[in-house]
Every structure is written in C-alpha cells, then in structure tokens.
C-alpha cells in the first residue's frame, strides 16, 4: 500500500466501521513536520516555528490505526506544535497500519443496488471485518509498549530541553492511541512495558512507570476498566456518547476509580458525533465541527495546565 493511501477519510477511526453519512475526504494542505527516525522507529516530528529559540514542551502523539502517514493525523499533530509543543508521533504499528475499510464510494452512492451488488458488498464487509480482527490481534501491549518505550527514551535525549522545560513528557492519544496513553500513565511490569524477560523469579515482577506526566485522549478504542484503574497521572477524556469502542459502562466504572483515588481527571461526553470526530477534517456537519473544536481546546487546556 502506498503511503498516500493511508490518509483516510474523516472522521479518523480505527477502521472498525464502513463510512457513515457525514464522512468527508481527507484533509488537504501541507504538513509542517517530517518523517524521521528515533531509536530506529519511524516517527513524524513537528515543532513550533520558533523552536528551539522559545521554550517548548515534549508531546507524544499516539494516533488512530491509520498511522503516521495519514494526512489528518499529521495535521492534528501540527496543531499542537503551533501551540508550543515539540510533537513526536511514532509509528506504533511498525509499518502495519489498520487495513482501509472504507466502502467503495461508487457502490455506496447507489440508492437501489441490485441483489448481486448487495451480495458483493456483504462479502466485502465480511472480508474487511476479518482483516481488522486479524490486525487488532497483532497490535498487543506486549508488542506496542516496548516500541513506545524505545521512542520515549530516544526522544528524551534528542529533545532534552523540551523534556526539562515541561518537567516530563506529555501524551495525547486518538482512537487506538488513547489506550496506550492510559498504559503509559500507569505502573506496568517491565515484561510488558519494556518487553524484558523476567530475570529472577524469586525477586518477583519489576514494575516501572508512569512514563508520562499527564495525558489527554479522544474517543479511545478497546479501553478496559483495568486500563483506567492502573492510571497514576492526570488525564482528560473527550468521549463519544454511546460509543461501542469505548462503552459508557466502562467509562463510568473508570471514572468512579479516578474519583475514589483522587486522580485529577476531566471527562467530557459529546452527543451526536461519530467515533473519530476529534481529528481534523472538512466536516459538513456543524455539530461535528463544534465538537471537534471543543475537544481540541479541552485537551490543549489540560496539557497546558498540567
């Protein structure tokens, strides 16, 4: 798949569903940053225009399943750079982004498809669902977290001034990336966080973390209550109402834990918008446009105040 093909339709999602009404073509326009490498991992890096002459903070940007070559993800990262952050967006999928599951726009535009076309679309949807399930099975914490750890350690060296200025590393996560912001804000066994083998069973499991100072997530994917219950750092969440990818009951249980443990948090639920609404896109729906702006301001304000 060519890199340009990875730039997906908006709203950005983890390709769990076909296109829905209100989707628009991927955002256009030049990106501010560039693809580079940190610790031999591909990363998209974007910086404030006056960096390093003005103090900046380091922000780890964890994207949806569409990855670092998505134009929408790059432009979303650029928005944080314009607000004073040095942004590092790693290829957390190691060259294996989510399969493109957008339906054929020509087929989708037919008001009365024939029976044969309906059968074709049914087979296509089944194949897409299978591909997504296989892709998700490959994207485990045991695979993703050691890669992120490498990038974090490399970024600490390359952007030591930004880390020092922010007294740590901040993180934002969209869709798939939301889960990993929570995990990076937790204490985890080194066998998971760094992919290290257990050296001495008698000494027990060694834990480390959290690896970030504060986090912000939007419409997280595959988040469990255990992900939230491990959290040790301040977090804000921009959520979608009735989101099957981050169910209301999981969010409610997680919020109870955050309250009980007195962990600083903020949770905003946006009704009437699709999963993926918070990533930039040229939307025709005013509700989505307003929610997108509000979610960005919510996340940006949280990062700046923590």
């Amino acid at each position: 798949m060519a890199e340009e093909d990875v730039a997906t339709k908006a709203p950005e999602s983890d390709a769990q569903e076909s296109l829905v009404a209100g989707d628009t073509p991927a955002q256009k326009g030049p990106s501010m940053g560039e693809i580079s490498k940190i610790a031999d991992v591909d990363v998209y890096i974007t910086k404030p225009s006056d960096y390093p002459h003005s103090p900046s903070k380091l922000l780890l940007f964890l994207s949806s399943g569409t990855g670092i070559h998505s134009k929408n993800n790059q432009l979303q990262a650029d928005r944080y750079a314009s607000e004073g952050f040095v942004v590092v967006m790693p290829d957390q999928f190691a060259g294996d982004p989510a399969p493109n599951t957008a339906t054929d726009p020509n087929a989708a535009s037919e008001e009365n498809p024939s029976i044969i076309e309906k059968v074709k679309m049914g087979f296509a949807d089944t194949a897409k669902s299978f591909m997504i399930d296989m892709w998700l099975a490959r994207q485990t914490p045991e695979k993703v977290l050691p890669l992120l750890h490498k990038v974090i350690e490399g970024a600490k060296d390359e952007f030591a001034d930004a880390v020092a200025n922010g007294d740590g590393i901040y993180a934002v996560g969209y869709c798939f990336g939301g889960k990993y912001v929570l995990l990076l804000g937790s204490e985890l066994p080194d066998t998971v966080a760094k992919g290290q083998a257990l050296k001495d069973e008698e000494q027990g499991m060694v834990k480390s973390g959290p690896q970030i100072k504060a986090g912000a997530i939007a419409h997280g994917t595959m988040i469990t209550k255990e992900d939230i219950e491990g959290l040790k750092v301040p977090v804000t969440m921009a959520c979608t109402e009735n989101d099957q990818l981050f169910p209301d009951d999981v969010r409610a249980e997680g919020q109870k834990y955050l309250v009980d443990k007195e962990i600083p948090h903020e949770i905003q639920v946006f009704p009437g918008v699709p999963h993926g609404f918070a990533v930039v896109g040229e939307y025709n729906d005013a509700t989505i446009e307003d929610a997108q702006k509000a979610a960005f301001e919510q996340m940006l304000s949280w990062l700046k105040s923590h």
Side-chain angles (χ1 to χ4, degrees):
M1 180 182 294
E3 291 182 0
E4 290 298 324
D5 295 336
V6 183
T8 62
K9 308 295 183 184
E12 289 279 339
S13 71
D14 286 317
Q16 288 280 350
E17 302 169 320
S18 300
L19 287 177
V20 294
D23 283 351
T24 61
Q27 184 88 349
K28 301 187 184 303
S31 318
M32 289 170 45
E34 61 182 5
I35 303 294
S36 183
K37 283 186 180 290
I38 292 180
D40 205 34
V41 176
D42 286 343
V43 293
Y44 176 78
I45 299 176
T46 179
K47 309 169 188 175
S49 58
D50 53 358
Y51 178 80
H53 304 294
S54 294
S56 299
K57 298 178 181 180
L58 184 63
L59 178 66
L60 187 70
F61 185 109
L62 303 182
S63 74
S64 71
T66 50
I68 67 172
H69 296 292
S70 162
K71 178 67 70 174
N72 287 358
N73 290 340
Q74 291 180 0
L75 293 175
Q76 188 71 37
D78 290 346
R79 295 186 69 184
Y80 290 101
S82 297
E83 294 290 343
F85 290 91
V86 173
V87 184
V88 174
M89 176 168 58
D91 177 12
Q92 64 218 51
F93 313 112
D96 181 26
N100 182 2
T101 60
T103 55
D104 181 345
N106 295 320
S109 66
E110 295 182 10
E111 294 184 2
N112 298 296
S114 66
I115 294 177
I116 293 178
E117 287 302 318
K118 288 181 180 179
V119 171
K120 285 182 179 178
M121 286 188 283
F123 278 125
D125 287 343
T126 300
K128 291 168 186 173
S129 178
F130 175 76
M131 290 173 64
I132 294 164
D133 288 344
M134 293 295 291
W135 178 80
L136 287 172
R138 297 193 296 272
Q139 312 306 324
T140 63
E142 291 77 12
K143 173 186 174 183
V144 176
L145 284 171
L147 182 150
L148 295 179
H149 177 73
K150 286 173 57 179
V151 172
I152 287 172
E153 291 304 306
K156 285 180 180 178
D157 290 335
E158 187 164 341
F159 301 109
D161 59 330
V163 176
N165 184 58
D167 193 27
I169 297 174
Y170 296 82
V172 294
Y174 291 81
C175 299
F176 184 95
K179 179 184 182 76
Y180 287 87
V181 168
L182 299 180
L183 294 179
L184 290 175
S186 304
E187 267 189 352
L188 297 172
D190 282 352
T191 52
V192 176
K194 302 177 184 179
Q196 295 179 353
L198 186 60
K199 295 181 180 179
D200 189 344
E201 292 185 4
E202 293 184 358
Q203 292 182 356
M205 198 75 70
V206 177
K207 290 188 175 182
S208 62
Q211 299 190 58
I212 59 174
K213 182 179 180 181
I217 72 173
H219 36 72
T221 297
M222 298 177 65
I223 290 174
T224 66
K225 67 182 183 68
E226 289 78 14
D227 295 335
I228 302 175
E229 289 174 354
L231 195 64
K232 305 294 184 186
V233 302
V235 67
T236 187
M237 303 183 191
C239 305
T240 305
E241 189 177 46
N242 301 321
D243 188 352
Q244 294 182 357
L245 301 177
F246 186 8
D248 293 352
D249 60 332
V250 173
R251 186 183 70 243
E253 288 186 43
Q255 185 170 15
K256 182 179 184 302
Y257 166 83
L258 296 174
V259 171
D260 291 344
K261 296 299 182 180
E262 298 183 345
I263 296 175
H265 67 282
E266 175 187 46
I267 299 177
Q268 295 288 339
V269 179
F270 293 85
V273 295
H275 182 91
F277 76 93
V279 180
V280 294
E282 296 175 351
Y283 302 102
N284 294 322
D285 188 321
T287 300
I288 299 176
E289 290 180 342
D290 292 344
Q292 181 196 107
K293 293 175 183 176
F296 178 71
E297 289 301 323
Q298 170 191 336
M299 297 167 77
L300 179 65
S301 175
W302 187 263
L303 295 173
K304 287 188 173 184
S305 63
H306 288 82

